[in-house]
Amino acid sequence: MTSWLPSSPCTPACLPAPRPDAGWARFRRRLRTVARMTALVAVLLVGVPLAALAPLLGPRRVGRVQALWCSALLGAAGVTVRVTGPRPVAGSLVVANHVSWLDVLALNRITPVRMLAKVEVRTWPLIGAMAARVGTVFLERDRLRALPAAVAAVADALRDGGCVGVFAEGTTRCGRDLGRFRPAAFQAALDAGAPVVPVALSYADAGGTVDATAAFVGDDDLFSSLLRVAAAPRTVLTVRVLPAWTGAVDRCPGDRTPVRRACARAASTAIGAALPAAAADPRPLPSVHVVAHPVVRRPEVTRAA
């Protein structure tokens, strides 16, 4: 592993322990899981012909289909999405914290985005081919020399008026803190003169309590994560779209931090402040979790359906 490769302290130990159940409760959980997994498979299969037709539909129609398909997947998984803030304008760099594979679906629900993703996603069954069809920019994270080409590809997509989604931490975390935001994608926004739109993503259970059931961390596998989400009574994903900016951010006099790093720091601060208050997180801190970049949180003041 190279020194610049993103890493996370989170492991499956950060996930909530399964609650024992029996009798009617167990039957309901199993029935719910089977129904949702069946619905997920059905929606995924519907996406196959849609992905094949993507080159014939044109960018605008592809975007609409992409948003509808992602909404259908979230619904099939039993995920309720709540959105606050305005929809990002065309040609925006949409920067979010990263907790789950559901994050990609949530960003596409609010606006069609081309994601900057690790190259391994291209090899995922079905999903990889569909991601490539909708213009995902793939990055070989273990090859530093591949980074300039990826930054240039993101800048070109922004100039063309497309929104590009980026998880600036470079990997998933369980939601207790934020990792260091990588500055490369912000350079693409600067090069293209594109707005940067920070987006804070957080997960809760049916009662509104902060919950990590949907987190996809460590050596957790996708199928196990799918089962966990499908079995949950309800998952609430809140998407907070924060104020955008274009160009360089304001810095203190004498601050010689490169502009792209200052932008990354500004996005991290904005997202951290928008996440739920620390007091709302009842989860014990696992011994494996070492907080590298604590989130500075404030209570939520607005909520939209």
Side-chain angles (χ1 to χ4, degrees), residues 4 104 114-124 126-143 145-154 157 164-166:
W4 67 278
V104 177
R114 294 176 58 179
M115 296 301 303
L116 177 63
K118 59 184 181 181
V119 73
E120 291 84 356
V121 172
R122 192 196 293 266
T123 65
W124 289 5
L126 186 60
I127 295 175
M130 296 175 70
R133 283 282 188 177
V134 297
T136 299
V137 178
F138 294 104
L139 171 64
E140 295 183 66
R141 298 191 302 174
D142 58 349
R143 290 186 62 238
R145 282 183 290 183
L147 188 59
V151 171
V154 171
V164 178
V166 174

Side-chain angles (χ1 to χ4, degrees), residues 12 101 216-228:
W101 51 273
F216 185 49
V217 293
D219 57 359
D220 192 17
D221 63 90
L222 184 58
F223 184 71
S224 296
S225 180
L226 281 166
L227 286 176
R228 213 167 42 245

